[in-house]
Amino acid sequence: MANITKKVSWSSRADESAAAGEGTPLLNGSEQPQHSRQLSGGGSLFQIGRLSTVDLEEEITSDEDSLRGRPKEIPHNEKLLSLKYESLDYDNIENQLFLEEERRMSYMGFRCLEISRWVVCGLIGFLTGLIACFIDIVVEQLAGIKYQVVKENIEKFTEAGGLSISLILWAVLNSTFVMMGAIIVAFFEPIAAGSGIPQIKCYLNGVKIPRVVRLKTLVVKVCGVICSVVGGLAVGKEGPMIHSGAVVAAGVSQGRSTSLKRDFKIFEYFRRDTEKRDFVSAGAAAGVSAAFGAPVGGVLFSLEEGASFWNQMLTWRIFFASMISTFTLNFFLSIYHANPGDLSNPGLINFGRFESDSVAYNLYEIPLFIAMGAIGGLLGALFNVLNYWLTIFRIRYVHRPCLQVMEAMLVAAVTATVSFAMIYFSNDCQPLGPEHTEEYPLQLFCADGEYNSMATAFFNTPERSVRSLFHNQPGTYNPLTLGLFTLTYFFLACWTYGLAVSAGVFIPSLLIGAAWGRLCGILLASITSNSSTSAQDSTAIWADPGKYALIGAAAQLGGIVRMTLSLTVIMVEATGNVTYGLPIMLVLMTAKIVGDYFEEGLYDIHIKLQSVPFLHWEAPATSHWLTAREVMSSPVTCLNRVEKVGTIVDVLSNTSTNHNGFPVVVQVSGSDESGKLCGLILRSQLIVLLKHKVFVELARSRLTRRKLQLKDFRDAYPRFPPIQSIHVSQDERECMMDLTEFMNPTPYTVPQETSLPRVFKLFRALGLRHLVVVDDENRVVGLVTRKDLARYHLGKHGLEELQLAQT
């Protein structure tokens, strides 16, 4: 076990008694001092060691309430890492209570449960579609009022002079909306910042993110994204829909609201991590479907993030939720647009239909598309690197809520100022035809019957700007306009992502890529215009600017987020034409390969910066020389099958080690060695047992006492009370607790010599939280947790980045 001394300590509270200001480095390769614990109990506790995990439930508990009252610390501190993030219990605890309940249930009971799952998925899709409809209508109304007021003001002062007043009005309106959105995020629910996709990726990966699926988070997310989009930031409203759908799923599937303290006494069987995870997957897929009108893409998005737990029936239920979501949005938007039954608005973003002639492509264009994919990968890597350093700056200097609000207002004002300056100095005037599609055309200094083309890109919501770049006729934009817009919007979007506002990066990425993609199409058309007449005749088809705008949009989005399978289907479904399925796939693969050479995807960067123990699909390629012995946390605290209550309370109350899982051992008569493994029990189970006083002596004295059932554990889920709230008298401390009925008698175990890739596959495929390492005689020698595995994926470069983020 020579490598044990070099392992990174992920345990949480070993240095909590240290002097103030004495921090413990995170992932720095240094060993944390070991604190031995000697508990009273007459040897009933086996001090086989320390388990390097802590337990805070995914929903907030009293412990978390007390933590929120403490002075705020800059992230990347080991305490915050271990206190905030813990694994989900995706593996069912098949104890005697569980098996008895399952065996009592009839075939009809199981059928009713399956029907209930379909009903829940239908409700998830319906409510997610309603939320998307609400966001779309409110954004359209508020943005319409804002742009109309600013447009009239600009037209007024263009003739009378004093356009600076129009600039101030635009900047003030933007800053006001953004200020409201930033205040509710920074002061009321910080987890609602951003798109929420990294958090949902972590949840589906098996990591508890505190407060990520709470009702308050949903309310702040919806209101925040409305304010961000109306405030003119370089953001989109589509990304947050994935988070919103996941929150809806987590709430509906539990049949109660812990925030409102209302229990509807329905869906009680689903109150466990395994079932909740499945419904959150359906909610995330419904969010993708509502955002892009891509139900299949939504299914594949959830598949990419949590394929280890999928089965055929779950796939169908997720697809059902996605279809209900897009249909609900379609139906209610048709009523809003006074065309009931006209289901032509499948998602929040509507790319419009690409006609067959405009999207036709030839074999010799595929290398051009692949080259554009490489450009998208390079630009995406640059975007991610710049955003990484901006995030590091924010972590160090902009971690107070008031500063976060001020930064968001500054970005809103700068965005308005830059947009106004680009429009003001642009002389790209285009004729305003009778069939123009511009929502708010600005004439400014153009002649009568003309409009400023730069205003079409800046003076509009990002979704309408993307559609304009896709479908406007050739000649609508000149190359200089597109080049300047790409440059300025690239840096604005990079600065904006990571602010304390609810916002997505999908639409800004598409807009940037559509701009430089259309520029590529124009340049290709100009190059071929000097060729023969026959070549000129074909130019209108193969160098169509809208076609290259679509390819550029896919390349830029793929270069930033590095999604391939689901993003290909989403783009194909959103455009309504499968013709470009192959080019889009090649472009996304190229963008990912090129981008990964320089930097990780944007979501992966932010996950790493938050120090989340995220497990990737495969173990590191060079990890076969590592075994479970080197990876495991050792020693481990074990409990006897019949344990003294005082010992259990002391173990759970110990602030130096906040263990979550405890191997249960049985002593071999006549042996002085540690006992053999007979099961595993969780902290949450022990707390429920202490709360209900499940003691051997009390059970003997009160024969009529109600037997503890699984319902008692489900009623406490997910906010299990902290151990400090459990009162145990001195007499009760001397009682004994029999864990036989409640422990998992068949935990997953591996020998010490098991290779790291094999351990990794067990964790990733089965969704494990604990993996017990035993010797040849089935004695516990260590325990592997998610955090023990996650640190091995980082490598040298990842460790250096996290050290830099901490300093």
Side-chain angles (χ1 to χ4, degrees):
M1 299 176 64
N3 289 346
I4 290 294
T5 58
K6 297 183 180 180
K7 66 182 292 187
V8 180
S9 175
W10 289 73
S11 56
S12 64
R13 299 178 178 175
D15 61 342
E16 210 156 86
S17 60
E22 182 180 349
T24 301
L26 169 65
L27 292 175
N28 62 353
S30 63
E31 176 68 10
Q32 205 171 323
Q34 298 291 326
H35 299 265
S36 61
R37 275 190 300 120
Q38 298 297 332
L39 299 177
S40 60
S44 59
L45 170 71
F46 292 100
Q47 182 58 32
I48 301 180
R50 296 183 55 204
L51 176 61
S52 63
T53 58
V54 296
D55 178 54
L56 275 185
E57 295 306 318
E58 176 269 314
E59 303 288 353
I60 189 170
T61 63
S62 300
D63 282 342
E64 189 177 334
D65 280 324
S66 64
L67 287 171
R68 295 184 70 192
R70 298 179 184 177
K72 292 184 179 294
E73 300 179 63
I74 300 176
H76 309 291
N77 179 282
E78 184 174 280
K79 297 178 187 177
L80 288 181
L81 166 72
S82 297
L83 287 174
K84 286 178 65 176
Y85 305 121
E86 189 51 63
S87 300
L88 292 162
D89 293 311
Y90 283 173
D91 180 38
N92 284 325
I93 303 170
E94 294 190 351
N95 54 22
Q96 291 184 18
L97 294 181
F98 177 82
L99 294 177
E100 288 174 3
E101 181 184 79
E102 295 292 306
R103 290 163 182 167
R104 285 196 306 266
M105 193 174 299
S106 63
Y107 175 78
M108 185 58 65
F110 282 109
R111 297 301 299 171
C112 290
L113 278 178
E114 189 63 25
I115 293 173
S116 298
R117 291 188 179 98
W118 283 89
V119 171
V120 171
C121 287
L123 288 174
I124 292 169
F126 178 75
L127 293 176
T128 303
L130 283 182
I131 291 173
C133 183
F134 172 78
I135 292 175
D136 191 55
I137 292 174
V138 174
V139 166
E140 183 176 335
Q141 292 294 324
L142 293 180
I145 294 172
K146 186 195 79 170
Y147 285 123
Q148 192 62 38
V149 169
V150 175
K151 180 176 181 294
E152 293 175 357
N153 192 274
I154 291 176
E155 291 175 346
K156 172 184 176 182
F157 287 102
T158 299
E159 299 176 359
L163 279 174
S164 57
I165 299 177
S166 300
L167 169 60
I168 294 174
L169 174 64
W170 193 356
V172 168
L173 287 175
N174 279 11
S175 299
T176 301
F177 281 112
V178 172
M179 179 187 68
M180 293 188 293
I183 286 175
I184 61 176
V185 170
F187 286 95
F188 294 98
E189 198 56 87
I191 196 66
S195 65
I197 295 178
Q199 289 86 346
I200 299 305
K201 281 169 65 75
C202 292
Y203 190 95
L204 296 180
N205 190 261
V207 182
K208 290 181 180 178
I209 307 294
R211 309 175 67 87
V212 72
V213 289
R214 297 193 65 187
L215 178 62
K216 183 180 176 182
T217 304
L218 175 62
V219 174
V220 173
K221 175 71 74 173
V222 171
C223 297
V225 73
I226 291 173
C227 294
S228 301
V229 176
V230 176
L233 292 177
V235 299
K237 58 181 182 287
E238 286 69 25
M241 276 308 307
I242 299 173
H243 190 182
S244 300
V247 178
V248 169
V252 172
S253 64
Q254 302 304 289
R256 66 179 176 186
S257 171
T258 50
S259 299
L260 301 178
K261 294 180 172 56
R262 292 292 304 275
D263 192 342
F264 300 100
K265 303 297 181 181
I266 57 175
F267 309 137
E268 292 179 310
Y269 184 84
F270 304 142
R271 293 176 185 177
R272 50 179 169 161
D273 287 340
T274 308
E275 296 283 352
K276 191 175 182 179
R277 180 267 321 271
D278 293 346
F279 291 117
V280 168
S281 301
V288 173
S289 179
F292 299 96
V296 178
V299 174
L300 292 177
F301 173 83
S302 293
L303 175 64
E304 280 187 317
E305 306 308 327
S308 61
F309 56 81
W310 278 61
N311 57 62
Q312 185 178 10
M313 291 306 299
L314 175 59
T315 305
W316 277 109
R317 289 198 300 270
I318 293 177
F319 183 62
F320 175 69
S322 300
M323 291 299 297
I324 293 295
S325 177
T326 189
F327 175 80
T328 301
L329 175 65
N330 235 329
F331 177 75
F332 284 99
L333 283 183
S334 68
I335 296 176
Y336 169 73
H337 293 300
N339 294 312
D342 180 19
L343 306 180
S344 58
N345 297 286
L348 294 180
I349 176 65
N350 185 6
F351 292 158
R353 296 287 176 178
F354 283 80
E355 301 299 331
S356 298
D357 291 340
S358 63
V359 297
Y361 66 95
N362 294 295
L363 183 63
Y364 53 80
E365 287 185 274
I366 291 182
L368 294 175
F369 297 153
I370 294 176
M372 292 179 68
I375 295 174
L378 291 172
L379 291 177
L382 176 62
F383 184 99
N384 294 350
V385 169
L386 293 176
N387 189 264
Y388 167 78
W389 288 108
L390 276 171
T391 305
I392 294 295
F393 177 83
R394 290 182 176 121
I395 289 171
R396 291 176 177 174
Y397 305 110
V398 196
H399 52 273
R400 298 180 182 274
C402 56
L403 295 178
Q404 294 172 346
V405 174
M406 293 173 62
E407 184 196 15
M409 294 176 63
L410 174 64
V411 174
V414 170
T415 301
T417 303
V418 170
S419 302
F420 186 87
M422 296 292 291
I423 296 172
Y424 182 86
F425 291 107
S426 174
N427 57 2
D428 184 7
C429 297
Q430 301 293 335
L432 190 64
E435 298 181 356
H436 70 89
T437 59
E438 288 70 25
E439 190 76 17
Y440 311 103
L442 279 178
Q443 180 179 351
L444 212 60
F445 302 116
C446 295
D448 292 338
E450 294 182 340
Y451 69 95
N452 190 301
S453 181
M454 183 69 80
T456 304
F458 274 114
F459 198 70
N460 220 330
T461 58
E463 291 83 2
R464 288 200 177 100
S465 298
V466 170
R467 195 158 56 246
S468 171
L469 289 168
F470 281 169
H471 296 289
N472 277 13
Q473 295 296 320
T476 305
Y477 300 92
N478 66 38
L480 181 60
T481 298
L482 292 173
L484 291 175
F485 174 80
T486 301
L487 184 64
T488 55
Y489 206 81
F490 180 91
F491 289 105
L492 286 175
C494 186
W495 189 12
T496 303
Y497 190 80
L499 293 176
V501 295
S502 299
V505 75
F506 270 79
I507 297 304
S509 304
L510 291 172
L511 185 52
I512 295 168
W516 67 257
R518 190 176 180 96
L519 175 61
C520 290
I522 293 174
L523 294 179
L524 285 172
S526 64
I527 292 173
T528 56
S529 62
N530 298 325
S531 304
S532 61
T533 305
S534 60
Q536 291 181 10
D537 294 338
S538 63
T539 298
I541 297 177
W542 81 267
D544 179 77
K547 175 175 61 177
Y548 282 85
L550 173 63
I551 297 299
Q556 186 64 58
L557 182 56
I560 291 177
V561 301
R562 311 288 165 78
M563 296 162 58
T564 51
L565 178 62
S566 60
L567 197 55
T568 299
V569 178
I570 288 172
M571 293 292 293
V572 170
E573 288 185 283
T575 55
N577 196 313
V578 76
T579 305
Y580 265 72
L582 176 64
I584 289 176
M585 181 191 70
L586 293 175
V587 164
L588 291 174
M589 290 177 62
T590 305
K592 176 176 173 57
I593 292 171
V594 174
D596 283 344
Y597 182 79
F598 297 98
E599 186 57 271
E600 291 181 299
L602 185 63
Y603 299 144
D604 293 327
I605 289 175
H606 281 262
I607 288 172
K608 182 184 292 185
L609 285 173
Q610 292 300 318
S611 306
V612 179
F614 189 90
L615 291 185
H616 293 266
W617 289 115
E618 300 290 341
T622 58
S623 62
H624 283 81
W625 62 274
L626 285 172
T627 64
R629 180 188 292 112
E630 283 80 31
V631 175
M632 67 185 184
S633 296
S634 176
V636 179
T637 301
C638 296
L639 300 175
N640 279 317
R641 182 154 58 182
V642 180
E643 187 62 88
K644 182 181 288 188
V645 172
T647 299
I648 295 175
V649 172
D650 290 339
V651 170
L652 298 181
S653 302
N654 196 330
T655 57
S656 64
T657 56
N658 198 344
H659 301 340
N660 179 74
F662 302 91
V664 181
V665 297
V666 59
Q667 284 288 359
V668 180
S669 58
S671 174
D672 296 333
E673 297 180 351
S674 58
K676 294 187 177 182
L677 177 70
C678 64
L680 182 75
I681 194 162
L682 301 179
R683 163 181 288 265
S684 57
Q685 294 176 286
L686 293 172
I687 287 177
V688 174
L689 296 179
L690 290 172
K691 179 181 178 182
H692 290 272
K693 311 293 184 185
V694 185
F695 308 148
V696 174
E697 289 78 3
L698 295 180
R700 292 172 181 169
S701 62
R702 291 182 287 180
L703 298 178
T704 59
R705 179 180 177 84
R706 180 180 68 86
K707 183 180 178 181
L708 205 65
Q709 300 176 348
L710 275 183
K711 183 180 184 301
D712 298 299
F713 294 90
R714 290 169 180 156
D715 288 342
Y717 176 85
R719 303 191 195 183
F720 296 98
I723 184 60
Q724 291 78 10
S725 67
I726 307 297
H727 175 70
V728 179
S729 66
Q730 192 62 37
D731 291 337
E732 290 174 336
R733 289 179 60 90
E734 300 301 320
C735 295
M736 304 299 291
M737 181 182 291
D738 189 353
L739 307 179
T740 305
E741 189 177 6
F742 311 102
M743 68 180 184
N744 181 4
T746 56
Y748 289 96
T749 63
V750 292
Q752 301 178 71
E753 301 304 323
T754 306
S755 66
L756 176 60
R758 189 169 185 82
V759 173
F760 199 97
K761 288 178 182 178
L762 283 172
F763 253 85
R764 196 65 174 92
L766 300 177
L768 300 183
R769 188 175 188 177
H770 304 99
L771 184 63
V772 185
V773 182
V774 296
D775 60 12
D776 295 338
E777 298 182 6
N778 202 36
R779 290 191 297 263
V780 179
V781 296
L783 194 142
V784 179
T785 66
R786 165 181 292 270
K787 294 173 183 177
D788 295 318
L789 298 179
R791 64 190 175 88
Y792 279 99
H793 188 81
L794 293 174
K796 185 174 183 291
H797 182 57
L799 297 178
E800 291 174 350
E801 289 179 342
L802 285 174
Q803 288 173 359
L804 182 61
Q806 179 196 359
T807 57

